[in-house]
Amino acid sequence: MIFSLFGRRKTNQRVVDDTYVHLTEAARQPLFYERFGVPDTVMGRFEMVAMHMVLFLRRAGQADGPLRAFTQEMVDTFFQDIDHSIREIGIGDTGVPKRMKKFAKMFYGRVESYSVALNAGDRVALSEALSRNVHPTLPFSRDSAEGRGMHALADHLFALEAHLAGQPDGSIMDGRLSFVVPEVREAV
């Protein structure tokens, strides 16, 4: 009996790893950086992974049972990835906890602001939230290249959330999470 628990953990870890790979691959689509105006930097990549993670959490949060419980493993994997990335860029052991707290606060702030806009179906509010996070040093302007890129990104988030809602829980739990390729409606 106890050995079956170990086997299940390995299977769950494989599924978590497969799902997280799909999520990060979706976040690395060149169009985000080339056409939507997301900076191809460490922080820009964090923003795209966080955005996809928010959508995953929203989708999984609508489920009952195993998929809902699976979310904690995904969040753990996400933060392990951030920890690894922080260490990889040269932050020492003593600086990692402080930075991890900062990233956790940033991530959960994004969960809140994106969810409010998505729940309301408010494209402008989502564009503004994306702009604050993706381009924190620039004022939001709907007519700027960055503003047009964030509007296109907001449209993509709404489409992606609808796509994720149509995926069966079983497919996600089998590690077959799929994300749609970004459609470019507006050039930056």
Side-chain angles (χ1 to χ4, degrees), residues 1 10-11 19 81 121 131 142 149-150 177:
M1 166 119 173
K10 288 180 185 174
T11 301
T19 303
D81 188 30
S131 184
R142 294 178 191 181
M150 295 303 98
L177 177 70

Side-chain angles (χ1 to χ4, degrees), residues 26-37:
R28 292 182 181 135
Q29 292 292 319
L31 289 176
F32 291 129
Y33 309 99
E34 295 170 0
R35 302 292 297 273
F36 290 172

Side-chain angles (χ1 to χ4, degrees), residues 55 58-60 62 158-169 172 177-178:
L55 293 176
R58 287 174 56 81
R59 167 57 183 89
Q62 297 170 357
F158 281 110
L160 184 53
E161 184 163 63
H163 173 75
L164 291 173
Q167 292 184 37
D169 292 1
I172 297 170
L177 177 70
S178 74

Side-chain angles (χ1 to χ4, degrees), residues 32-131:
F32 291 129
Y33 309 99
E34 295 170 0
R35 302 292 297 273
F36 290 172
V38 175
D40 192 5
T41 61
V42 170
M43 288 309 297
R45 290 186 296 273
F46 166 79
E47 293 300 339
M48 292 301 93
V49 173
M51 179 189 81
H52 283 80
M53 192 68 182
V54 167
L55 293 176
F56 171 79
L57 292 176
R58 287 174 56 81
R59 167 57 183 89
Q62 297 170 357
D64 292 323
L67 181 55
R68 193 170 201 157
F70 180 67
T71 61
Q72 185 58 54
E73 293 178 69
M74 284 292 290
V75 169
D76 292 346
T77 300
F78 173 63
F79 281 107
Q80 287 168 356
D81 188 30
I82 292 172
D83 181 277
H84 175 76
S85 297
I86 290 171
R87 292 174 192 278
E88 207 171 62
I89 61 171
I91 305 300
D93 288 341
T94 58
V96 170
K98 178 181 172 184
R99 299 238 174 24
M100 288 300 293
K101 284 181 184 178
K102 181 179 178 182
F103 276 103
K105 183 177 179 182
M106 290 168 53
F107 174 68
Y108 287 110
R110 283 149 179 78
V111 170
E112 178 65 23
S113 64
Y114 297 167
S115 291
V116 166
L118 287 163
N119 289 341
D122 190 337
R123 177 183 184 241
V124 173
L126 185 56
S127 299
E128 290 173 353
L130 289 164
S131 184

Side-chain angles (χ1 to χ4, degrees), residues 1-13:
M1 166 119 173
I2 194 158
F3 293 111
S4 68
L5 293 174
F6 291 121
R8 188 170 14 164
R9 176 74 176 133
K10 288 180 185 174
T11 301
N12 287 344
Q13 190 58 53

